[in-house]
Amino acid sequence: MKILTCTTIISAASLLLSEDSKASFLKMPEYSLEKAKSARSTCNACKEKIAKDDIRLCVTSKGPQGIDMNRYWHVGCFKLPRKFATGADAMSVADFVEEHVTADADDEILPERKDEIVRLIEGAADKLADMKKQAKEDSDTTVMGRIKRAAEEEEEKEPPKKKKRKSEGDDNDDFDKLVKEYRAIAGAKPKLTLDALKDYLRWNRQVLKGTKDIVTFKVIDGKVNGRLGRCLLDGGLLKIDDADLESVTCSGQFDEGLQQRIPCSFSDNRLSDKVPRLKWFDKEPTDEEKEEMDKIAEASKSAGQGVTSATSGDNPKLKELMEKAEKAEWKVDAKNKKTISAATKTISSLGKGVIAIPDGMRAKTEIANLILQNTDKNAKEMLQLVVDKYGLIEEQAMRAEAKEEAIASACKVPANAPLLGAMQELAKLYFAESNRNAGSSYIKVANAIKDMDQEITAENAMSFSKGKTKIPGIGASTAKKMKEFMESGTIEKLEEKRALANGQS
């Protein structure tokens, strides 16, 4: 078998090229020294800007269609090219500068500063090695960096089995467990791909987004601490923050009634007791387990939002209501407004004191529209649709209580929970009006209240808007509303928005 040398390949290629292309193909990079004309160029090695008038080393090579392409280095960052450092063409840095590097005579760089240039290039290898070492040390300051380093050190040492040492605290214990799980994943045979790791997150209904390192951390954190539950504030999905892998945030919740996502500013350490943790699955859950996960998620979502889902037929009041509906006079004709109006009154009358139908014209209009859309339904079936939409007063009260408990558990000071709930409701009402700026502002206020480490009172409420005790996000107007709530148990603006939402003037 004939072996082709580089010379043979280049000669063969040159036969296929035009004279101009051949010259470009065969031309070696050119090396030159110059003073930087501005501070816009970036060093190809350290990625930092090269200051104006600093000496830079420029490498010019031919790009596509014979266009010159320039790359720049700090002289002290330029490492001798491999072809000049090893092999038959190896030479000293001094010879490289002498034979291959040019400079504009007006800059007075060569030969005047040749010795200085040579020393800088000779030290570049050590400088680059130090830069790589520093970059590795910097990466070790991240959670995944420290986990990987600890796992490598353990693998190198492989200490004999001994009694487990006592941890210095929960954080240390958590880190040791994370390292153990990481080693198990890193050493898995066959090697786990990104898609295989994401399967763990799919089985546990966690957020899939992230690089392989981020996804790996989510998996080992779940194995150690359990899968993330839903946000205590609004029932939204919790996720580990990609930026630091130490905090957990909430992406908000999609409100079916408003048909938009309501943001949430919840944020806490992933090991906080305010971050709910549930059973982790190392394999795809069974149908029974999936059904149980659905129930837990729905209960958590409802507790956070204070919403009511379809009501159980086992409720005695609902059974009694359905019996009355069967006996009620019911006649609906889509072309006859009087029958629609009568049917609306019948449903409203039957549901009074039992179904959580809001006051005001808006609810009556919604019921009338529901009847028009379901003219084939009888009174009992229609009543069930209204129950599904608004829920029972009794169960709504239970939901409200559950939400209050959820909010209280999320607050550093449980006594601040009612005020937090009022601010959340005010935010939601502003979102319902498509006023996202005001809605987002009150979301931030709610989060500030959640994190306060002292009880808010009518006496101290105004102090959080000024001076040394000012809390970011709380201005004078908000502080007045806080004081108003602590004095009266409600806020005039909140009552105003509630009335508008219910169609009351």
Side-chain angles (χ1 to χ4, degrees):
M1 180 184 292
K2 186 176 181 180
I3 300 175
L4 298 178
T5 64
C6 290
T7 303
T8 305
I9 294 172
I10 292 174
S11 298
S14 67
L15 294 174
L16 303 175
L17 300 172
S18 65
E19 288 303 316
D20 289 341
S21 298
K22 189 187 299 181
S24 297
F25 182 84
L26 295 174
K27 190 173 182 180
M28 300 297 290
E30 295 177 354
Y31 305 91
S32 60
L33 291 166
E34 62 184 25
K35 289 183 178 179
K37 298 176 180 63
S38 69
R40 293 194 299 270
S41 60
T42 301
C43 176
N44 202 56
C46 71
K47 308 304 179 186
E48 293 182 1
K49 293 293 183 182
I50 299 173
K52 182 181 178 181
D53 291 329
D54 275 8
I55 297 176
R56 66 186 180 187
L57 194 146
C58 175
V59 177
T60 304
S61 54
K62 289 293 181 182
Q65 300 176 343
I67 298 173
D68 282 346
M69 297 181 66
N70 295 330
R71 291 175 295 158
Y72 300 101
W73 279 259
H74 289 111
V75 178
C77 291
F78 181 79
K79 188 178 177 181
L80 197 64
R82 183 178 297 178
K83 72 164 292 178
F84 298 118
T86 59
D89 295 327
M91 61 179 64
S92 68
V93 173
D95 289 340
F96 168 75
V97 172
E98 179 73 29
E99 298 178 20
H100 296 281
V101 180
T102 61
D104 192 320
D106 293 339
D107 287 340
E108 298 182 347
I109 299 172
L110 293 178
E112 289 84 356
R113 301 176 66 176
K114 178 184 174 183
D115 291 343
E116 177 188 347
I117 299 297
V118 170
R119 283 196 303 273
L120 286 170
I121 295 177
E122 286 176 339
D126 291 336
K127 179 180 177 180
L128 292 174
D130 289 341
M131 287 167 55
K132 288 181 179 180
K133 183 180 178 181
Q134 184 61 48
K136 187 176 186 306
E137 289 176 356
D138 290 343
S139 71
D140 286 345
T141 62
T142 65
V143 178
M144 272 306 292
R146 287 187 287 115
I147 288 172
K148 286 181 177 181
R149 185 174 183 180
E152 290 171 0
E153 289 174 354
E154 285 186 15
E155 190 172 350
E156 291 171 0
K157 294 176 183 177
E158 286 295 342
K161 291 184 179 180
K162 57 183 179 181
K163 290 183 179 180
K164 186 177 178 181
R165 65 179 175 81
K166 290 185 179 180
S167 300
E168 295 176 4
D170 291 341
D171 288 354
N172 286 341
D173 188 40
D174 172 73
F175 183 77
D176 291 343
K177 290 176 180 177
L178 291 174
V179 172
K180 180 180 178 182
E181 292 296 342
Y182 174 76
R183 289 191 67 190
I185 285 177
K189 301 293 183 182
K191 190 174 182 179
L192 291 175
T193 62
L194 180 58
D195 283 340
L197 289 167
K198 284 186 176 181
D199 280 339
Y200 283 100
L201 300 183
R202 290 187 185 95
W203 297 334
N204 291 278
R205 301 180 182 179
Q206 305 292 287
V207 177
L208 302 179
K209 183 183 174 183
T211 62
K212 188 171 183 179
D213 269 358
I214 290 171
V215 171
T216 299
F217 183 81
K218 289 178 180 178
V219 172
I220 62 178
D221 172 76
K223 284 174 172 285
V224 172
N225 299 303
R227 74 179 193 272
L228 293 171
R230 285 184 171 264
C231 178
L232 294 175
L233 290 182
D234 70 346
L237 287 173
L238 292 177
K239 62 177 183 178
I240 292 176
D241 192 334
D242 293 353
D244 63 11
L245 301 181
E246 289 287 11
S247 56
V248 169
T249 59
C250 175
S251 58
Q253 181 64 273
F254 185 80
D255 188 286
E256 295 290 347
L258 302 179
Q259 284 297 297
Q260 62 176 304
R261 179 169 291 279
I262 306 298
C264 176
S265 54
F266 175 85
S267 179
D268 212 329
N269 186 276
R270 63 184 177 82
L271 299 179
S272 167
D273 58 3
K274 309 298 183 188
V275 176
R277 296 284 189 163
L278 303 168
K279 177 184 176 182
W280 178 265
F281 293 93
D282 277 323
K283 60 182 180 180
E284 186 172 6
T286 63
D287 290 341
E288 291 77 12
E289 288 170 330
K290 288 178 182 177
E291 187 177 341
E292 183 62 25
M293 291 170 77
D294 289 337
K295 289 179 181 178
I296 293 172
E298 185 58 36
S300 301
K301 180 179 175 182
S302 298
Q305 284 192 307
V307 298
T308 308
S309 57
T311 311
S312 169
D314 294 333
N315 189 298
K317 288 187 177 181
L318 181 59
K319 282 185 176 181
E320 184 182 343
L321 203 59
M322 290 304 173
E323 289 172 4
K324 289 181 180 180
E326 285 181 331
K327 298 173 184 178
E329 186 178 341
W330 188 260
K331 184 180 179 181
V332 174
D333 182 353
K335 296 180 181 180
N336 190 327
K337 290 183 179 180
K338 288 185 178 180
T339 64
I340 300 298
S341 178
T344 301
K345 288 181 181 178
T346 298
I347 293 295
S348 298
S349 178
L350 284 169
K352 190 174 182 180
V354 181
I355 303 176
I357 301 173
D359 295 330
M361 283 301 299
R362 179 171 294 183
K364 291 179 181 178
T365 303
E366 289 174 346
I367 293 173
N369 288 335
L370 201 59
I371 292 170
L372 277 169
Q373 294 165 10
N374 298 276
T375 53
D376 58 326
K377 299 282 194 292
N378 59 37
K380 182 180 178 180
E381 293 169 332
M382 195 67 237
L383 192 65
Q384 183 61 59
L385 290 177
V386 174
V387 171
D388 289 345
K389 181 174 180 62
Y390 298 111
L392 299 183
I393 291 174
E394 180 183 320
E395 293 200 355
Q396 199 168 69
M398 292 171 61
R399 297 289 190 189
E401 185 179 347
K403 181 172 183 178
E404 286 176 8
E405 291 178 358
I407 292 175
S409 65
C411 273
K412 280 189 176 180
V413 179
N416 293 336
L419 177 58
L420 191 156
M423 292 299 175
Q424 277 192 310
E425 185 181 356
L426 196 50
K428 185 174 179 179
L429 290 168
Y430 271 112
F431 277 112
E433 296 177 352
S434 299
N435 190 339
R436 294 191 67 84
N437 286 337
S440 298
S441 295
Y442 281 107
I443 287 289
K444 291 177 182 177
V445 172
N447 194 54
I449 293 171
K450 172 185 76 73
D451 292 332
M452 281 189 185
D453 54 10
Q454 68 182 102
E455 183 177 350
I456 300 168
T457 65
E459 289 72 28
N460 68 13
M462 294 304 298
S463 68
F464 300 118
S465 67
K466 57 188 177 181
K468 294 181 179 179
T469 55
K470 177 174 171 55
I471 303 293
I474 297 179
S477 176
T478 303
K480 286 178 183 178
K481 291 182 176 65
M482 291 164 58
K483 182 180 180 181
E484 180 185 354
F485 184 87
M486 301 314 298
E487 289 175 339
S488 65
T490 188
I491 302 169
E492 183 180 349
K493 180 62 71 174
L494 177 58
E495 295 300 333
E496 177 188 318
K497 296 297 179 185
R498 283 172 177 169
L500 287 172
N502 290 330
Q504 300 171 344
S505 57

